[in-house]
Amino acid sequence: MNIWEEILGNQVLVCSALGWTVAQVLKTIIDLVLNRSFNPERLFGSGGMPSSHSATVCALVTASAMKYGPGSFEFAVSFVLAMIVMYDAMGVRRETGKQAKLLNRVFFENMLNLDGVILQEKLKEYVGHTPLQVVAGAALGIIIAAWVGGMY
């Protein structure tokens, strides 16, 4: 069996990767519709609707439960990882995005400089997620894993 057959035969990995990919594509499409312009950074960037982090880890948890059972070590580890990732997305990373937005407004609207250095580019504002974005990503990940799991 070659490496690609092994990778594609790994249900847990395929579900997780597909969860991330679908969430990133949906995030880009939603951004395109709302802003009426294509932003290629949305294909790989963090933040936005739905949360690709949540979609990835929830697909991982669901696939682990389906493959190894909810009493397994694999499920336990993936569940704890998912809780940490989703909590962080709504907490620290979301606050970082709020602070970046405020700093961008202060520095770029007022053209302030720091010790003679003017900021060259804005700070990333799309860093974290709202609870709704995290829940949407989680639901997407679970649905994808359930769908893909039916094919294995």
Side-chain angles (χ1 to χ4, degrees), residues 1 10-11 15 17-18 25 43 46 49 52 61 74 90 96 100 106 108 116 121 128 132-133 135 138 145:
M1 185 183 266
N10 185 332
Q11 174 184 347
C15 288
L18 194 58
V25 169
L43 279 171
S46 58
M49 171 67 102
S52 57
V61 169
E74 293 85 354
M90 289 186 296
T96 301
V106 167
F108 285 94
E121 60 184 71
L132 178 62
Q133 292 168 340
V135 169

Side-chain angles (χ1 to χ4, degrees), residues 1-11 13-14 152:
M1 185 183 266
N2 73 36
I3 187 82
W4 289 111
E5 288 174 348
E6 287 186 43
I7 289 171
L8 294 175
N10 185 332
Q11 174 184 347
L13 178 62
V14 168
Y152 276 86

Side-chain angles (χ1 to χ4, degrees), residues 11-34:
Q11 174 184 347
V12 176
L13 178 62
V14 168
C15 288
S16 301
L18 194 58
W20 179 85
T21 303
V22 170
Q24 288 298 122
V25 169
L26 282 174
K27 185 185 302 189
T28 305
I29 292 168
I30 291 169
D31 185 68
L32 175 67
V33 169
L34 292 177

Side-chain angles (χ1 to χ4, degrees), residues 23-87:
Q24 288 298 122
V25 169
L26 282 174
K27 185 185 302 189
T28 305
I29 292 168
I30 291 169
D31 185 68
L32 175 67
V33 169
L34 292 177
N35 297 315
R36 300 192 196 305
S37 65
F38 176 70
N39 181 359
E41 192 269 329
R42 299 310 308 141
L43 279 171
F44 299 100
S46 58
M49 171 67 102
S51 166
S52 57
H53 289 86
S54 296
T56 303
V57 294
C58 284
L60 175 71
V61 169
T62 305
S64 294
M66 292 170 63
K67 178 97 174 155
Y68 304 109
S72 68
F73 171 79
E74 293 85 354
F75 175 78
V77 170
S78 61
F79 182 84
V80 170
L81 173 70
M83 293 300 102
I84 292 168
V85 167
M86 292 188 295
Y87 177 80

